[in-house]
């Protein structure tokens, strides 16, 4: 027997319609790409323009299910494209303009994008891309006629002219809420990029969950500045959650240096912002250097990679800004956890509270987690056992676009499907998760796991160590044993025995590295991350001592 | 093209499973009906017992879709029944024990309840009801063996014995999220009671929306005491939202007097509570009389009927407790609006902010509203035009159980279906709604509407008026014209002319009542509300002067 409730699908168009009807006068402010000036309008105007754009895209031949790509920074036109494309039944495919042109071409061809919208300062990139793109029929420069780039791009249209040619008469269509809405590719370290294809349903449920008090805590009293790019997992869903909550949005455009951000924060009364640690490092350096303060900022979300403990402390103690340490994945829309306190923690001491904030937090309602050992057996949630983190929930992928990479899911004994995150973690009895390692980096010794990250953190705490990487090497008895590969600080002395001595008392005996190998430098990826894959290849002929 | 996201239905069992897995140690505290003692356990234990109960109900013959009724106060066993019944695919039908036995029998027979669970102090009522109930096969007394009532009730079972007979091995089934989960009857002033049949989907979406910062703002840092009964529209959804957020819950049992509530608030560290104005009147009287303070309470939700302006002020100014003025209906699961501020209101003066708080607020994301005139034409959202309030959204009924009362929905020009609330309201450009009248009470004069409530409020502001009711009477030219029916205060003089003079300058000229009729008393309903239906019948032979 079914309930007798209105059968209303969860559609992205309802977000912007809601914002128009109930928060029509609330502002969307953008630092423009054209000249750095500030553009200012309301949800009501954004809705009107999004409807005109939806009509214009129809005129360019975009049909239900067609992909419309963007190469764009955070701004109001990008926001309009989000709603126009998904709202009309298309799929918005946001592409990171910082990828190599060959990667972009691969992704756009794999996605079979029909239209590509781009910010005008990316025109040279698009000019280079155009000959490689096999399916794009129209290019849209996101500007007015006067600013149109003088680039040799076939089928080039002017965004504002497209809108001007349309009247505002457009009703958002209704359809199955499981319809695809957004496409984001992950750039895995191995294999081809894989596309996560979000639905209207998953996006809407994520929008609800992300706004909850124990997640990002968003309301109509907030002014939100998403530093995280709109090409990076939908700016962590903020363009959706903000519309749902009627929060004022401030789009920072292209310049994310500390001074530009601080000025915008103060001018627009920003209460909450979200970005990766690198951005906050820059901001905090400027703040300190120029002795600046925040007048309205109450919280920052730090995600993308682990929030450094000192950064959490600086925000909270020096600036009175609450840090929300968050974790997610492209495959998770992206939010999985946010680190907020429970009632019991009010009684905890300051240092214990900071220790908790270094964890990635606990799940948003809707996401479930479990940790499993190598055989898929669930491990206890005791804060000690660590294993592969698996997740499930309505905004987590069931597979990748066009079946790329095969079926990623693992079934449990009850037949429920889980997505393996590739992280090795502990979960404490209160549900707080600590990342211990990446699955591919964890060292399996005698049937037990050793965290390479823990061992690296100890090594770099030694005053003579500049950088360290811990990897597992084959061992006849224990399968794998850890070794530390170390770059000494210039002019410092450090022996194998010195460093091993330094580990004593800090770890269980069986975690003790078998050897220390000194090198002049460690391999890194293009984005500056330590590349253990390359390191393992470099060390493939290494023999354990004895 | 569908998205590639996990196809996971929104099921009520996931709420208690989530609370167990991620907030397992968080407490549920109950003042028991048996002896007023305090019972204390955790979400983990509640989940274990709910699963055993689900198995036990299966043993009593409850099958998918079967209705299980409750006659019970707010307590942990009632909470377990919520989850056991809905989680296992049944429908929980909560009945108000304060209705007349004949009304209860009508409702239970209409619902075709299979099992009836009751708190033991309601055993005399159940004994009286049993012969009238045609479909109930089993009665469950919510107590341990020792407390079993000595009542003549056929097929009587002991709750704790049922649980003890089961092991904990039970996996919640998975099914279509649109499956019926809960049934609540509305007691309309005319016609038979009508059942609102909620689904798992509607309940889960409501649980998300109700917890948002602009709704009830619930988190794992909260301790929530629902004064609003669990037999009254699922205690406004709190038993669901609290489990979703991992908030500690305090169930007050049967005694809702000021002293009992204040003691529980202080003992358990309650941060938020929710109830009707009558309850808060009692609490505030006790607070004042005994010079008490709140140590932990941060907010109260006031709903069910309009929050009196003085009550809002007292809570906020004397006790530092934020008032959340809320509005909803059984047909809306029930939350429709909550009165929270927007960013712009931070700059408003105190009196303007209070004036705003007297409104019922703005919609939760998921609910849409519109106001229409008599012909169904949408009226502007300008804070001035008033018309019939219609609502739509995924937790609003599309009809009543077994088709009672026919199709309640109205279609708009675009073919979208709206539920008419029966309230006459204004909506301002920021979305804040003010209730002006009930549809059936509004006076239609010369094609325009006059608010009977506004005219009554002015009359009762006169020092010589004890009570007043305004109704429309037939008028040959204007269709209807308002008259005031007044009860004078004992020993006070008041003439027709005095009162009409009192209206001058306070209303538009065409709103001026045509006449004043003095009576010794006004008719009231069983629950103490003014009965305009009866008054209109009493006045049916009344002739306008002139």
């Amino acid at each position: 027997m079914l309930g007798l409730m209105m059968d209303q699908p969860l559609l992205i168009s309802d977000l912007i319609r809601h914002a128009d009807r109930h928060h029509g006068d609330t502002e969307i402010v953008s630092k423009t790409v054209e000249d750095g000036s500030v553009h200012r309008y309301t949800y009501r105007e954004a809705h009107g323009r999004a409807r005109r754009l939806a009509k214009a895209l129809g005129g360019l031949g975009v049909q239900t299910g067609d992909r419309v790509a963007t190469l764009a920074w955070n701004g109001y036109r990008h926001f309009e494209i989000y709603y126009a494309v998904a709202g009309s039944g298309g799929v918005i495919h946001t592409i990171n303009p910082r990828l190599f042109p060959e990667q972009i071409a691969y992704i756009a061809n794999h996605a079979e994008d029909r239209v590509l919208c781009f910010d005008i300062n990316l025109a040279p990139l698009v000019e280079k891309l155009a000959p490689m793109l096999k399916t794009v029929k129209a290019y849209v420069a996101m500007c007015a006629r006067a600013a149109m780039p003088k680039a040799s791009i076939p089928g080039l249209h002017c965004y504002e002219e497209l809108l001007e040619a349309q009247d505002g008469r457009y009703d958002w269509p209704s359809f199955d809420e499981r319809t695809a809405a957004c496409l984001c590719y992950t750039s895995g370290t191995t294999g081809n990029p894989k596309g996560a294809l979000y639905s209207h349903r998953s996006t809407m449920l994520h929008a609800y969950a992300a706004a909850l008090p124990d997640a990002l805590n968003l309301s109509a009293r907030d002014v939100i500045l998403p530093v995280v790019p709109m090409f990076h997992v939908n700016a962590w869903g903020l363009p959706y959650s903000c519309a749902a909550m009627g929060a004022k949005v401030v789009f920072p455009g292209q310049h994310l240096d500390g001074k530009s951000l601080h000025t915008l924060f103060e001018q627009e009364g920003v209460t909450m912002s979200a970005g990766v640690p690198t951005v906050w490092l820059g901001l905090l350096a400027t703040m300190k250097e120029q002795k600046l303060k925040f007048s309205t900022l109450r919280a920052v979300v730090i995600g993308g990679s682990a929030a450094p403990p000192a950064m959490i402390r600086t925000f909270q103690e020096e600036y009175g800004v609450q840090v929300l340490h968050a974790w997610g994945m492209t495959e998770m829309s992206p939010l999985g956890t946010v680190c907020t306190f429970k009632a019991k923690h009010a009684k905890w001491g300051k240092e214990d509270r900071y220790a908790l904030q270094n964890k990635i937090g606990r799940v948003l309602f809707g996401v479930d987690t479990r940790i499993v050992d190598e055989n898929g057996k669930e491990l206890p949630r005791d804060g000690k056992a660590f294993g592969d983190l698996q997740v499930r929930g309505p905004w987590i992928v069931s597979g990748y676009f066009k079946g790329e990479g095969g079926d990623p899911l693992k079934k449990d004994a009850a037949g429920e499907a889980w997505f393996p995150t590739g992280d090795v973690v502990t979960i404490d009895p209160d549900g707080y998760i600590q990342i211990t390692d990446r699955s591919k980096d964890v060292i399996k010794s005698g049937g037990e796991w050793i965290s390479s990250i823990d061992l690296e953190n100890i090594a770099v705490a030694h005053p003579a160590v500049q950088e360290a990487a811990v990897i597992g090497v084959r061992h006849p008895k224990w399968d794998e044993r850890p070794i530390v590969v170390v770059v000494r600080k210039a002019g410092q002395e450090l022996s194998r025995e010195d460093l091993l001595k330094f580990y004593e008392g800090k770890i269980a005996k069986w975690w003790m590295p078998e050897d220390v190998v000194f090198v002049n430098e460690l391999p890194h990826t293009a984005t500056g991350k330590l590349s253990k894959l390359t390191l393992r290849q470099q060390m493939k002929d290494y023999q354990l001592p004895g």
Side-chain angles (χ1 to χ4, degrees), chain A:
Chain A
M1 182 171 67
L2 300 186
L4 293 167
M5 308 305 288
M6 287 189 182
D7 193 11
Q8 200 174 297
L10 300 171
L11 297 179
I12 288 174
S13 55
D14 277 334
L15 289 168
I16 191 72
R17 203 158 82 140
H18 167 86
D20 176 351
R21 287 174 70 83
H22 302 280
H23 303 277
D25 294 337
T26 300
E27 282 183 319
I28 298 170
V29 176
S30 308
K31 199 84 173 281
T32 61
V33 169
E34 293 98 309
D35 57 5
S37 64
V38 168
H39 175 272
R40 195 177 286 280
Y41 71 166
T42 64
Y43 277 118
R44 182 168 301 125
E45 292 171 276
H47 185 205
R49 283 171 54 93
R51 280 186 296 183
R52 286 201 278 159
L53 178 58
K55 231 171 153 173
L57 288 170
L60 292 180
V62 175
Q63 299 187 348
T64 304
D66 277 356
R67 274 75 71 198
V68 173
T70 60
L71 278 168
W73 314 105
N74 290 8
Y76 68 101
R77 291 193 187 101
H78 205 174
F79 181 84
E80 291 161 7
I81 298 168
Y82 265 50
Y83 283 100
V85 174
S88 61
V91 176
I92 172 162
H93 172 210
T94 51
I95 307 179
N96 182 346
R98 295 207 180 89
L99 295 174
F100 294 116
E102 293 70 23
Q103 290 174 300
I104 296 178
Y106 172 86
I107 290 172
N109 287 331
H110 188 269
E112 299 174 55
D113 297 326
R114 294 279 157 205
V115 172
L116 172 63
C117 306
F118 61 97
D119 265 329
I120 54 170
N121 65 348
L122 296 170
L125 171 64
V126 175
E127 196 168 10
K128 197 179 296 175
L129 284 170
M132 298 189 263
L133 303 185
K134 296 172 191 157
T135 57
V136 175
K137 303 275 182 258
Y139 294 83
V140 179
M142 293 160 62
C143 62
R145 169 53 59 190
M148 280 295 281
K150 309 273 173 291
S152 161
I153 298 170
L156 182 61
H157 297 265
C158 166
Y159 189 96
E160 292 298 332
E161 281 191 349
L162 286 176
L163 261 63
E164 279 156 25
Q166 302 299 333
D167 61 44
R169 286 194 298 277
Y170 181 83
D171 289 324
W172 298 112
S174 185
F175 40 74
D176 187 331
E177 68 187 29
R178 295 169 304 163
T179 300
C182 331
L183 179 62
C184 293
Y185 279 76
T186 58
S187 48
T189 44
T190 55
N192 286 325
K194 298 194 282 286
L197 188 64
Y198 311 126
S199 68
H200 286 257
R201 173 183 169 91
S202 68
T203 304
M204 296 294 281
L205 291 174
H206 184 272
Y208 270 115
L212 289 170
D214 272 339
L216 308 186
N217 191 23
L218 308 175
S219 79
R221 289 171 298 292
D222 275 313
V223 180
I224 314 286
L225 188 148
V227 183
V228 52
M230 291 172 80
F231 57 73
H232 181 75
V233 216
N234 297 326
W236 301 346
L238 286 169
Y240 303 119
S241 287
C242 287
M245 303 307 129
K248 173 177 166 181
V249 187
V250 182
F251 288 121
Q254 198 192 351
H255 300 291
L256 307 178
D257 59 287
K259 186 61 195 158
S260 301
L261 284 180
H262 183 266
T263 306
L264 258 186
F265 280 16
E266 293 300 304
Q267 278 174 357
E268 299 300 331
V270 170
T271 59
M272 226 255 330
S273 188
V276 296
T278 320
V279 164
W280 304 130
L281 273 179
L283 176 64
L284 289 174
T286 305
M287 301 288 294
K288 191 172 177 184
E289 199 180 286
Q290 305 191 16
K291 295 192 174 54
L292 301 171
K293 292 281 164 200
F294 296 115
S295 325
T296 54
L297 192 68
R298 63 163 180 81
V300 290
V301 185
I302 306 185
S305 53
M311 183 180 286
I312 298 178
R313 235 173 243 267
T314 304
F315 265 120
Q316 296 189 164
E317 294 183 6
E318 292 181 33
Y319 299 104
V321 171
Q322 185 199 9
V323 167
L324 297 169
H325 194 178
W327 170 84
M329 299 178 75
T330 302
E331 288 86 344
M332 299 177 74
S333 300
L335 275 174
T337 64
V338 178
C339 197
T340 57
F341 293 108
K342 292 187 173 187
K344 69 201 292 182
H345 301 125
K347 292 174 198 136
W348 282 23
K350 181 173 150 183
E351 292 308 315
D352 288 338
R353 285 168 63 97
Y354 271 118
L356 193 70
Q357 284 197 287
N358 291 338
K359 298 190 177 190
I360 57 168
R362 52 194 169 81
V363 291
L364 275 67
F365 172 62
V367 174
D368 198 4
T369 53
R370 62 176 205 151
I371 45 176
V372 296
D373 67 14
E374 284 172 294
N375 305 313
K377 189 175 150 275
E378 186 166 0
L379 297 170
R381 307 161 80 84
D382 59 5
K384 292 179 199 112
F386 60 94
D388 283 315
L389 176 64
Q390 300 186 340
V391 292
R392 59 191 289 270
W395 56 85
I396 294 168
V397 296
S398 58
Y400 295 98
F401 190 46
K402 293 182 173 176
E404 192 71 41
D407 179 5
L409 304 189
K410 309 282 181 193
K411 288 257 167 95
D412 66 16
E416 279 170 350
W418 296 79
F419 177 81
T421 62
D423 282 314
V424 173
V425 308
T426 63
I427 306 180
D428 73 20
D430 291 322
Y432 291 82
I433 299 176
Q434 178 138 40
I435 294 182
T436 307
D437 219 330
R438 289 290 299 167
S439 300
K440 59 186 189 308
D441 296 334
V442 77
I443 294 147
K444 284 138 193 163
S445 176
E448 302 283 341
W449 289 5
I450 296 171
S451 159
S452 68
I453 292 175
D454 283 3
L455 292 180
E456 285 161 8
N457 285 344
I458 295 170
V460 296
H462 191 287
V465 170
Q466 182 175 306
E467 193 173 15
V470 171
I471 56 171
V473 295
R474 282 265 148 237
H475 187 281
K477 183 171 175 195
W478 303 111
D479 280 346
E480 278 189 341
R481 290 296 298 155
I483 64 165
V484 204
V485 186
V486 170
V487 180
R488 286 194 201 87
K489 276 190 186 157
Q492 298 273 346
E493 298 277 320
L494 181 72
S495 72
R496 177 183 185 277
E497 287 65 36
D498 291 340
L499 188 60
L500 293 181
K501 182 110 191 139
F502 189 68
Y503 274 103
E504 279 175 21
K506 297 189 175 77
I507 48 168
K509 279 209 175 111
W510 64 274
W511 278 41
M512 185 59 74
E514 290 292 314
D515 199 8
V516 182
V517 176
F518 294 99
V519 294
N520 290 327
E521 61 172 352
L522 284 165
H524 293 89
T525 66
T527 58
K529 285 185 189 169
L530 190 67
S531 173
K532 291 201 188 174
L533 193 70
T534 312
L535 180 62
R536 277 191 285 261
Q537 284 163 354
Q538 290 174 356
M539 301 291 290
K540 70 181 189 309
D541 297 328
Y542 167 86
Q543 295 283 330
L544 280 174

